[in-house]
Amino acid sequence: MALIVHKYGGTSMGSTERIRNVAKRVAKWHRAGHQMVVVPSAMSGETNRLLGLAKELQPAKADDAVLRELDMLASTGEQVSVGLLALALQAEGVPAVSYAGWQVPVHTNSAYTKARIDSIEDQRVRKDLAAGKVVVITGFQGVDETGNITTLGRGGSDTSAVAVAAAMKAAECLIYTDVDGVYTTDPRVVPEARRLSTVSFEEMLEMASMGSKVLQIRSVEFAGKYQVPLRVLSSFTPWDIPIAEEAASGTLITFEEDEKMEQAVVSGIAFNRDEAKISILGVPDRPGIAYQILGAVADANIEVDVIIQNVSHEGKTDFSFTVHRNDYARTVDVLKTKVAASLGTDRIEGDTKICKVSIVGIGMRSHVGIASKMFRALSEEGINIQMISTSEIKTSVVIDEKYMELAVRALHRAFDLDQPAA
Ligand code: ADP
Ligand code: ASP
Ligand code: MG
């Protein structure tokens, strides 16, 4: 008997029929003697619907007062889900109780719409488990020091589940979703993508941070920090398959580099369309310029990703970087109002039609020529690279958004990812 955390995503919770299926699956685990904590997301489309309503009424502003209400609103999607799932479990004859984040409580900081979990109190949940109940906890939400409801960023239910598993020292956290594991790339974009039976924690971290939305990056960070055994698997298998078979399916995130993984130089390809590029042309090439530009951006609490500074000509250079698309307008505004005058240039150019494509693999540490193979594959497709950034186990390029799928497919082929692993 073990304490197990299940997380079910929006599609898996998408209708009462699917919720009934989730309840039957959880009931199966409960009857097998496990202590079960379940963390569901809002029903598919619900968070978008709620945020869409908000936009109709308050399209422009994004100050703290507005963000607080967005969290108040968006968190309700998960509250509906926990209530429905607890009812469905009770209908299956399983004692179940649901909690919102503030009832557990899941303590977070006050960064509305992207709050971070500080701690989770487990007494209440443990008491229910000891009484033989299944405990259903909202994903995505928490409560700050002063009692305000917060949310954890899009896809945040993954993080809720892993954080609950870490706090409760669960034996395993199973992330049930609408694909049957982590693939070499998004199987909806490349049909030839293959499921990985294992992926190392470091690779998963890079893939998530480079845009593979199958797991929210913070959930992977939590899993790493607290060594939570984590598995991604399908919620669409028949609910009554044997537990042993289910527990061995999908993709396991591993913390040790086994030999098989060493063999695959590139394990996966990630991409994202969430960034925008900003260039400041003709800035003086002297010490302190990068700080002057990016310091002002950081002061506005805007995260910067890829950065490029060109070689200078006659003491002037161009400086480019990317930010999240949601922060694009604000960044341009900061540059125009706080930076341009002191740099002596107002030539600020932006491009929101870019994407970032990354190859990820721990094998890249010990192999040379991987980046050049990537660049060759892109050049053979006539795709121009605008920016490059690398780390020990990944290489990313920024390219025109319209070539994204072409680039991902070409790289998937070039690195033989559609071939079964040796
Ligand atoms: P959930 O609602 O269950 O949280 P998400 O939509 O957040 O599901 O994540 C699952 C989706 O992630 C899949 O449907 C797939 O399109 C996408 N995805 C992106 N990259 C990958 C990958 N490398 N492997 C598997 N799925 C991926
Ligand atoms: N419902 C939230 C979202 O759509 C959280 C999640 O699904 O993980 O982003
Ligand atoms: Mg998700």
Side-chain angles (χ1 to χ4, degrees):
M1 189 184 98
L3 199 165
I4 308 275
V5 175
H6 279 191
K7 181 259 170 177
Y8 291 90
T11 318
S12 314
M13 293 289 294
S15 63
T16 47
E17 195 46 48
R18 289 191 175 161
I19 293 174
R20 187 175 295 127
N21 236 19
V22 168
K24 285 181 189 294
R25 191 182 297 277
V26 172
K28 173 181 75 178
W29 283 74
H30 173 75
R31 292 199 179 105
H34 297 298
Q35 292 193 318
M36 299 301 300
V37 179
V38 188
V39 179
S41 294
M43 295 170 78
S44 56
E46 182 61 8
T47 311
N48 285 344
R49 187 185 74 84
L50 293 167
L51 293 175
L53 292 175
K55 217 167 190 170
E56 282 180 34
L57 295 172
Q58 172 53 292
K61 271 207 195 144
D63 58 24
D64 246 22
V66 169
L67 296 176
R68 179 191 185 278
E69 303 314 323
L70 290 182
D71 279 2
M72 189 65 158
L73 173 70
S75 64
T76 61
E78 270 68 13
Q79 191 166 333
V80 169
S81 284
V82 292
L84 289 174
L85 182 53
L87 287 170
L89 282 160
Q90 290 170 2
E92 292 297 319
V94 173
V97 57
S98 71
Y99 294 117
W102 62 268
Q103 291 174 304
V104 175
V106 174
H107 296 289
T108 72
N109 66 11
S110 303
Y112 300 118
T113 75
K114 49 182 175 191
R116 281 181 182 271
I117 296 177
D118 291 327
S119 65
I120 296 178
E121 289 182 37
D122 67 353
Q123 298 90 323
R124 195 168 185 173
V125 179
R126 284 206 190 276
K127 221 165 137 193
D128 291 322
L129 291 174
K133 292 181 191 165
V134 170
V135 182
V136 187
I137 301 176
T138 48
F140 186 49
Q141 55 167 274
V143 62
D144 78 359
E145 229 175 22
T146 34
N148 301 299
I149 290 176
T150 55
T151 68
L152 309 180
R154 300 307 304 268
S157 297
D158 297 330
T159 303
S160 306
V162 179
V164 166
M168 312 256 343
K169 301 194 174 51
E172 192 162 9
C173 181
L174 301 176
I175 307 283
Y176 289 86
T177 183
D178 56 5
V179 283
D180 64 352
V182 179
Y183 278 66
T184 46
T185 192
D186 189 337
R188 294 183 205 287
V189 170
V190 181
E192 296 77 31
R194 278 184 312 105
R195 182 174 61 82
L196 301 164
S197 57
T198 60
V199 62
S200 77
F201 154 73
E202 285 173 284
E203 287 171 323
M204 196 62 241
L205 197 62
E206 282 286 10
M207 281 177 66
S209 81
M210 293 301 120
S212 296
K213 289 186 177 128
V214 61
L215 285 177
Q216 198 201 34
I217 179 162
R218 284 184 189 162
S219 72
V220 188
E221 286 169 358
F222 255 101
K225 189 163 172 198
Y226 298 99
Q227 301 273 303
V228 179
L230 187 61
R231 183 179 287 277
V232 176
L233 67 171
S234 172
S235 69
F236 293 144
T237 54
W239 68 265
D240 55 354
I241 61 171
I243 284 191
E245 185 186 328
E246 189 172 312
S249 68
T251 301
L252 179 69
I253 319 300
T254 59
F255 296 99
E256 281 152 28
E257 301 178 11
D258 65 27
E259 272 179 34
K260 189 188 110 284
M261 287 185 298
E262 289 279 23
Q263 280 169 16
V265 179
V266 170
S267 298
I269 297 172
F271 50 85
N272 96 49
R273 248 187 281 240
D274 296 342
E275 293 184 29
K277 184 171 90 169
I278 295 169
S279 303
I280 315 176
L281 309 181
V283 302
D285 190 15
R286 57 162 197 256
I289 289 297
Y291 172 64
Q292 212 174 322
I293 297 171
L294 298 181
V297 174
D299 287 346
N301 214 358
I302 296 168
E303 266 179 57
V304 170
D305 185 26
V306 186
I307 303 168
I308 272 199
Q309 181 175 343
N310 287 332
V311 282
S312 64
H313 284 290
E314 291 155 9
K316 300 271 185 193
T317 185
D318 300 338
F319 192 94
S320 302
F321 58 94
T322 65
V323 295
H324 196 284
R325 262 184 220 185
N326 293 345
D327 291 327
Y328 172 71
R330 218 152 53 86
T331 311
V332 171
D333 190 51
V334 166
L335 295 177
K336 285 196 169 149
T337 55
K338 304 227 161 82
V339 182
S342 61
L343 290 181
T345 174
D346 58 359
R347 291 163 63 207
I348 296 168
E349 289 182 357
D351 185 355
T352 53
K353 296 203 161 29
I354 56 152
C355 70
K356 190 171 71 177
V357 177
S358 311
I359 55 172
V360 174
I362 41 179
M364 290 168 74
R365 268 189 199 134
S366 47
H367 288 74
V368 292
I370 304 304
S372 62
K373 187 169 174 180
M374 178 187 199
F375 305 152
R376 189 178 67 214
L378 295 173
S379 81
E380 281 169 3
E381 298 293 341
I383 299 171
N384 184 41
I385 300 171
Q386 302 179 16
M387 302 168 105
I388 300 171
S389 105
T390 64
S391 78
E392 212 186 7
I393 65 163
K394 73 118 213 280
T395 301
S396 305
V397 295
V398 171
I399 60 173
D400 188 321
E401 165 185 88
K402 68 174 181 259
Y403 298 124
M404 189 183 84
E405 295 193 1
L406 179 65
V408 174
R409 289 208 185 95
L411 294 170
H412 200 264
R413 253 193 329 270
F415 289 100
D416 296 326
L417 291 176
D418 28 16
Q419 306 299 321

